[in-house]
Amino acid sequence: MSHSAQPSALKMGIPIPNSKLGMWLFLGTEIMFFTAFIGSYIVLRLGSHGWPSNPADTHINVFLGGVNTFVLIVSSYLVVLAHEAMVSRDFSRARRFLTGTLGLAFLFLGIKAVEYAGKFSHDILPGHIAETPLQAMRKVDRELERVVRRRFAVYSDYRMIDVTQRDDISTVANQIAAFGAGAELPKGASDSRAEVLRPQAAKDVELFRQYSRLHEHLVADVSLSMPASGPEYGAARAALKPGESFPPLTLSEVEEFLELLRKDETWGGAVSSGVFQPHVMLYGNLFASIYFLITGFHAIHVVVGMILFAVVLLQRDRLDEKWSDFVENSGLYWHFVDLVWIFVFPLLYIIH
Amino acid sequence: MSHDSHATHHVNYLAIFLVLCCCTALSVVFDVLHFAKPVTIVLVFAVAVAKALCVMMFFMHLKFEGNWKYVLLAPTTILAIGLPLALMPDIGVSYYTSTAPQAGAWGRDVAAWEATQRANAKAGGAAHE
């Protein structure tokens, strides 16, 4: 039997180009990828009663989210027009539409950057958010210690003090106090620099004392109106009747304390920039994790789409009908990115 | 093939684009109008689904594609829904209850904090009087 006598091979498979089939299979995996995030978010939110929904707490900007939705819709429209132009062999028109899409993608990321900056400036970051008043007070304590250490570092960096144990903040404070009182400078220290730093040393030590006071009251869980250390604390404790205890430290006290520190001329600015306004947000860390996870991965997809369009645009005059499938598949990808945002926008921005 | 399939169907993309813009504006309007929360959720999701359908059917040309789209997308959709459904009983329904440590700590701390706030407000009010 000859081979030619055999029946011709059946035409099998899905009646679309392989590249398009590949793109749709990829989009299938992408659907599962984003549904995992969005679905988990919905489930977590349903299970977390008291989920932060006030824009004043979360710093979610509905207006910017809405503008970004509009930007993506316009870009999707331009991609469709670009593909139509490719099919009708009007390649320069297709390039114009793709340039517009690329520009809108940049705009989308720019707006997202503004939103992210708002989150960073309010410390709405995973793991940074106090979920109880106690956590908020501890956060103030930590941040204030960081401010003190940063101010103290100036003295050791300029060798005004001879620090052997930088971690021991009380010893460093004592050395700075001595330096401020006119103690002899270590070898190699600049006299002119010492003249500048010496007048503010006492104030920086005073900031350390304020921090120590807060820290002691926080550790002892005693109101700032009561002593929390030293002989006064011992005497007050001895005077307590059986069953009595000191009033505990409250967040509003810490807020007032912080407000006073911020008013100081010498270190008010450093405290303002270094210590965030205490803010309690239950499930705030979960919210921040989900917000950055979903919007972050979406932004990465936007960047990938931009690369795809840039590849087409780099062809310039060489763009021809051979690129039609590429533009169509890139368009499919871009519409999917738009599709994800269509659900992210109401879920993260609108439903409070 | 695919080009031919949707090249033969004329779609008014501008009309679809305008519908999408109107839907986006509607979502924001529903947010601004402050309906009851369940009403807002239903309305906003209805709009989102309508937008998604517009994009998938017309911009992604699924309306004009053959039946292969069901073969390709149905398993994906079923698997995608599987994860949230699997998580729902343990996390969505009964994870952070009022007796969970986190919620308990929150309750104690907040009660103390709110009592202080109330006392301060009362003291402030008395001072004004």
Side-chain angles (χ1 to χ4, degrees):
Chain A
M1 267 203 299
S2 71
H3 290 288
S4 58
Q6 283 184 344
S8 59
L10 287 170
K11 194 170 183 176
M12 295 175 71
I14 293 173
I16 53 172
N18 287 343
S19 60
K20 189 169 167 180
L21 175 62
M23 176 52 79
W24 270 109
L25 285 170
F26 171 67
L27 291 183
T29 65
E30 288 282 84
I31 290 171
M32 290 190 278
F33 181 78
F34 274 104
T35 314
F37 290 157
I38 293 174
S40 304
Y41 161 59
I42 292 171
V43 170
L44 282 168
R45 186 172 172 161
L46 286 174
S48 313
H49 301 291
W51 185 270
S53 55
N54 187 352
D57 294 332
T58 57
H59 293 277
I60 281 281
N61 193 322
V62 181
F63 174 73
L64 290 184
V67 171
N68 256 353
T69 309
F70 180 69
V71 166
L72 276 190
I73 288 172
V74 177
S75 69
S76 261
Y77 177 54
L78 293 184
V79 168
V80 169
L81 295 183
H83 178 234
E84 240 189 6
M86 290 293 287
V87 171
S88 58
R89 292 165 171 267
D90 190 346
F91 302 113
S92 62
R93 196 158 171 259
R95 275 209 315 269
R96 278 203 302 278
F97 286 132
L98 287 180
T99 307
T101 306
L102 193 61
L104 288 170
F106 273 113
L107 180 61
F108 178 90
L109 290 182
I111 292 172
K112 185 93 332 246
V114 171
E115 279 190 64
Y116 275 20
K119 299 279 180 301
F120 276 81
S121 65
H122 291 95
D123 210 27
I124 311 284
L125 298 172
H128 285 224
I129 299 165
E131 300 202 19
T132 65
L134 180 62
Q135 286 178 5
M137 291 190 285
R138 283 182 182 153
K139 188 166 182 260
V140 169
D141 182 58
R142 276 197 310 275
E143 288 167 349
L144 193 56
E145 182 187 346
R146 217 173 295 146
V147 170
V148 172
R149 284 187 183 279
R150 217 173 291 144
R151 291 189 73 81
F152 279 9
V154 175
Y155 298 94
S156 50
D157 289 349
Y158 285 115
R159 296 180 187 174
M160 296 296 122
I161 52 173
D162 193 11
V163 182
T164 49
Q165 286 184 309
R166 194 184 282 249
D167 286 348
D168 185 359
I169 193 168
S170 325
T171 308
V172 176
N174 288 337
Q175 287 184 333
I176 292 172
F179 161 72
E184 199 178 322
L185 293 176
K187 273 186 183 174
S190 153
D191 286 335
S192 57
R193 181 66 63 182
E195 270 177 45
V196 176
L197 288 176
R198 223 184 273 275
Q200 72 177 52
K203 285 293 286 181
D204 283 336
V205 172
E206 171 59 20
L207 177 63
F208 165 73
R209 291 209 178 103
Q210 292 290 344
Y211 153 70
S212 299
R213 179 170 168 248
L214 175 69
H215 187 72
E216 282 168 1
H217 282 78
L218 188 61
V219 170
D221 192 20
V222 172
S223 164
L224 286 171
S225 60
M226 306 294 291
S229 64
E232 298 95 340
Y233 175 69
R237 197 158 185 80
L240 285 174
K241 290 175 187 159
E244 259 188 351
S245 59
F246 288 132
L249 183 66
T250 62
L251 183 56
S252 43
E253 274 184 298
V254 174
E255 282 172 333
E256 282 169 25
F257 171 81
L258 202 55
E259 204 48 51
L260 281 176
L261 291 189
R262 283 180 179 145
K263 283 180 185 158
D264 188 273
E265 279 180 11
T266 312
W267 23 255
V271 172
S272 295
S273 60
V275 183
F276 289 97
Q277 182 64 26
H279 193 72
V280 176
M281 188 165 35
L282 182 62
Y283 302 122
N285 293 298
L286 205 51
F287 159 78
S289 297
I290 282 169
Y291 172 83
F292 282 108
L293 186 79
I294 294 180
T295 59
F297 268 109
H298 182 266
I300 290 172
H301 279 72
V302 170
V303 172
V304 171
M306 290 165 77
I307 293 169
L308 293 177
F309 296 135
V311 168
V312 179
L313 289 171
L314 283 173
Q315 303 310 310
R316 298 184 182 197
D317 295 335
R318 283 167 293 163
L319 190 67
D320 56 21
E321 64 273 12
K322 280 185 286 184
W323 286 87
S324 266
D325 280 350
F326 189 93
V327 171
E328 183 184 13
N329 293 330
S330 309
L332 283 175
Y333 174 84
W334 193 252
H335 296 314
F336 175 77
V337 170
D338 184 19
L339 209 58
V340 170
W341 189 258
I342 282 174
F343 286 103
V344 169
F345 174 59
L347 277 169
L348 283 180
Y349 289 77
I350 291 189
I351 299 170
H352 304 314
Chain B
M1 277 182 284
S2 62
H3 300 309
D4 299 338
S5 69
H6 53 74
T8 53
H9 295 89
H10 177 72
V11 179
N12 187 347
Y13 291 121
L14 182 63
I16 304 296
F17 166 68
L18 291 175
V19 167
L20 289 171
C21 290
C22 290
C23 285
T24 305
L26 261 183
S27 302
V28 178
V29 167
F30 290 147
D31 177 50
V32 173
L33 286 182
H34 293 296
F35 291 120
K37 199 173 174 181
V39 177
T40 308
I41 291 173
V42 169
L43 289 175
V44 163
F45 264 102
V47 169
V49 170
K51 281 165 73 179
L53 283 176
C54 276
V55 170
M56 288 168 74
M57 284 168 67
F58 299 107
F59 281 4
M60 297 174 98
H61 302 129
L62 279 180
K63 186 176 173 12
F64 314 111
E65 299 289 3
N67 285 337
W68 61 263
K69 64 192 172 196
Y70 301 114
V71 178
L72 210 73
L73 293 177
T76 302
T77 310
I78 292 165
L79 289 171
I81 294 169
L83 178 78
L85 285 182
L87 290 173
M88 187 58 88
D90 282 336
I91 295 178
V93 178
S94 58
Y95 188 42
Y96 287 136
T97 64
S98 56
T99 53
Q102 192 174 7
W106 159 257
R108 273 199 310 277
D109 287 350
V110 162
W113 183 50
E114 285 178 346
T116 318
Q117 296 286 82
R118 275 198 299 276
N120 287 347
K122 206 177 271 181
H128 280 298
E129 284 164 19

